[in-house]
Amino acid sequence: MTIDTDAVPTAKPATGILSGAYLWITVGACALVFLGAFESLAVTTVMPAVSADLDGERLYALAFAGPLATGVIGMAVAGNWADRRGPVAPLYASVGLFVIGLIVAGLAPSMEVLVAGRFAQGLGNGGLMVALYVVVARVYPRELHPAIFAGFAAAWVVPSLVGPTVAGAVTEIWSWHWVFLGVVFLVVPALLMVVPALRGLSGEGDATTPWAFGRLGWSVLAAVAVLALNLVGDLPGAGPVLAAAAVVVALVAVRALLPKGTLRAQRGLPSVLLVRGLAAAGFFGAQVYIPYLLTERYEVSPTVAGLSLTGGALAWSAAATVQGRMGARLSSVLAVRIGTVLVVVGVVLALVATVLAAPVVVIIVAWIVAGAGMGLMSPRTSALTLEMSAPENQGFNSSAMTVADSFGSALALAITGVLFTGLAAAGDPFIAVFAFAAIIALAAAVLAVRVAPRES
């Protein structure tokens, strides 16, 4: 998950987020965001080594799709819980689940156990981000909100730059186990920094707010359908039918979590969210297989494989910075259209490089192009979401934007997992994965023309 702040107006508050009153909670909250982001990016780098060590190729995609799917549940539960009881309890519970997931994954003797740990990580990380947003709203004055969200954004950028390389080096020097276990020793101090500022926030919610059991139920159903898709797709005989049924159930369930008309690409906000979800699906559906391809086919080290992701992250950050400085000179609608096209170009270039067995540098360049596209379009879809939201539905639409990211990526990874395992013996699974990701990215580029609201 990324936090885009370019469209948020800035102000000059009397005190800053690093002043005495806010120093420790700022450092601690940003550290928690940093560690969640680091873990997400680090696992992408080391998963080929994990898969080889645990003989877990069949569950490779599920290790990525699972946390994204369960994260949707974590977001829904934490948001509703925070509305009722304040952010403290959901924050503690989310951090606890995240730590449990790290420990289970780090000590996993089999791929099945590791995937279970990843499920817990997803629940915790999804809830953690929502709880932190509420903490910001309760602790910081409004004029400091742009600054703290900029801090969160920076906490995502830094792991993008160093996470893949550090994870690769840790795997080579020690073991992939420490990519999970090492983070545990950092999460606890980060939480302790936040604790003092949480005093007095317990019970600050509105106890009359009902539990949104319907919405929570739909989030669980969507997650279960995505997880089922990973498990039934390669079953002999009925596998394809069950997989298709799982996709249908997932799409029906997610409709309740998104504005009306999203899956029909209705012009305006629904298409903004759909395009964002499709672009994320195409990008991340391919990205998790980039290190796998490099280590499997090109026999490069995990550190070098991680550098390919670092290039994409640098391009994402640079493009986001450029579009932010351009401001109104570059319309949000045009930025989304250009960005989605760049994602298509990057994924297609990776596909062509795989087909032709091109040099490693071509794949790295491909991911730089794709990363630049995401950096250009992602902040502007956030801006468009806010522009098209009324005060009474800003919370729902912001949540829907996050769900579109996570669900789109999770569903794409589930499908690519089915393709990869199904073609592992009969064909080239990497070509199939990149081809599917290219089709999804192309759909985002085609539908990008509908993000502009209908003229009255």
Side-chain angles (χ1 to χ4, degrees), residues 144-164:
L144 289 181
H145 288 181
I148 186 59
F149 282 129
F152 284 4
W156 267 92
V157 170
V158 175
S160 299
L161 304 182
V162 304

Side-chain angles (χ1 to χ4, degrees), residues 225-315:
V226 170
L227 299 179
L229 176 58
N230 284 270
L231 300 175
V232 304
D234 58 348
L235 292 177
V241 175
L242 293 174
V247 171
V248 172
V249 171
L251 292 175
V252 170
V254 82
R255 286 181 61 194
L257 309 178
L258 300 170
K260 292 181 179 179
T262 298
L263 299 185
R264 292 184 283 105
Q266 182 177 314
R267 183 174 289 277
L269 178 61
S271 285
V272 171
L273 299 183
L274 181 60
V275 167
R276 183 182 176 103
L278 288 172
F283 181 83
F284 291 109
Q287 176 170 273
V288 300
Y289 288 94
I290 294 291
Y292 201 169
L293 173 69
L294 294 179
T295 54
E296 178 82 9
R297 293 282 175 86
Y298 293 85
E299 299 182 346
V300 304
S301 68
T303 302
V304 174
L307 286 174
S308 66
L309 303 187
T310 300
L314 282 169

